[in-house]
Amino acid sequence: MYSFMGGGLFCAGVGNILLIVSTATDYWMQYRHSSNYMHQGLWRYCVPGKCMTHTDSIGERRGGGSIPKHEHKQSYWDATRAFMILSLLACFIGIVIGVMAFIHYSSFDGFDKTFAAGILFFISCFFVLLAMAVYTGVTVNYYGKRYGSWRFSWSYIMGWVAVVLTFFSGIFYMCAYRMHECPRNSNSR
């Protein structure tokens, strides 16, 4: 049981660090525009020597014409940011509860901390998966057509690695929960 929880805590800790770095850095996508290499993250985009926040709008109105900036606030950026932040919070709370389960912290005995940590890690995995899917869909369908020479970069890749690590954290904690529950169920017969 403790080896599963230790493995889960290790994966969750590394996954949470990757989520923080991925969310905070500006290297989700790199592209070439006007013979310069540029890169962008969730919060801003950078041209050589200068970084600016995302303020431009994407898309067109159904009747034609571009969407005014006040009508369209790039909801995909907001969705990706929100899902990444929710994933960070769920993973961090899962780590706190997972540590409490690992050291047998006696408060909150009304619920199984091992099970709760596992569920929080799966929730974190789900949120980061949603964030990555939203960003991937928009990037491929819009930016991929707009810029000929582009690629996903290391911040984006860290996000996908965090998906895998938070998933395995949930698996490890669910295995620990099952090992903890099996002796209880056999003693109650």
Side-chain angles (χ1 to χ4, degrees):
M1 179 173 91
Y2 288 108
S3 60
F4 282 123
M5 284 196 288
L9 283 175
F10 177 76
C11 287
V14 173
N16 206 30
I17 290 168
L18 292 179
L19 285 170
I20 291 168
V21 172
S22 177
T23 303
T25 55
D26 298 324
Y27 285 90
W28 280 59
M29 185 179 97
Q30 293 179 326
Y31 53 95
R32 189 171 184 88
H33 184 65
S34 301
S35 72
N36 291 318
Y37 279 106
M38 298 185 234
H39 55 91
Q40 70 179 16
L42 298 181
W43 308 100
R44 58 190 188 158
Y45 65 97
C46 300
V47 296
K50 185 177 181 184
C51 291
M52 296 154 283
T53 58
H54 291 289
T55 56
D56 58 337
S57 92
I58 290 178
E60 291 187 348
R61 272 192 203 174
R62 290 185 186 262
S66 65
I67 298 172
K69 291 180 185 178
H70 68 277
E71 284 184 28
H72 190 281
K73 297 282 187 186
Q74 289 193 349
S75 59
Y76 77 96
W77 289 119
D78 294 336
T80 304
R81 291 175 193 145
F83 287 137
M84 290 297 282
I85 291 169
L86 287 171
S87 177
L88 272 163
L89 292 173
C91 190
F92 180 75
I93 293 168
I95 289 170
V96 170
I97 293 174
V99 168
M100 288 180 3
F102 191 77
I103 64 172
H104 292 295
Y105 188 69
S106 61
S107 291
F108 308 113
D109 283 336
F111 70 98
D112 192 318
K113 291 177 278 301
T114 308
F115 183 76
I119 292 297
L120 282 167
F121 294 140
F122 282 131
I123 290 170
S124 177
C125 178
F126 178 70
F127 281 142
V128 73
L129 184 64
L130 284 174
M132 300 308 289
V134 167
Y135 186 83
T136 302
V138 170
T139 300
V140 169
N141 289 321
Y142 178 75
Y143 287 109
K145 295 174 184 173
R146 186 174 179 190
Y147 301 109
S149 176
W150 68 277
R151 66 185 174 115
F152 292 115
S153 194
W154 59 268
S155 297
Y156 174 83
I157 294 166
M158 282 185 172
W160 280 110
V161 173
V163 169
V164 173
L165 289 173
T166 54
F167 178 75
F168 279 113
S169 298
I171 293 289
F172 284 144
Y173 263 83
M174 286 301 160
C175 289
Y177 171 73
R178 292 296 296 161
M179 288 182 71
H180 181 66
E181 284 296 306
C182 288
R184 259 196 234 167
N185 290 340
S186 63
N187 291 339
S188 62
R189 291 181 189 176

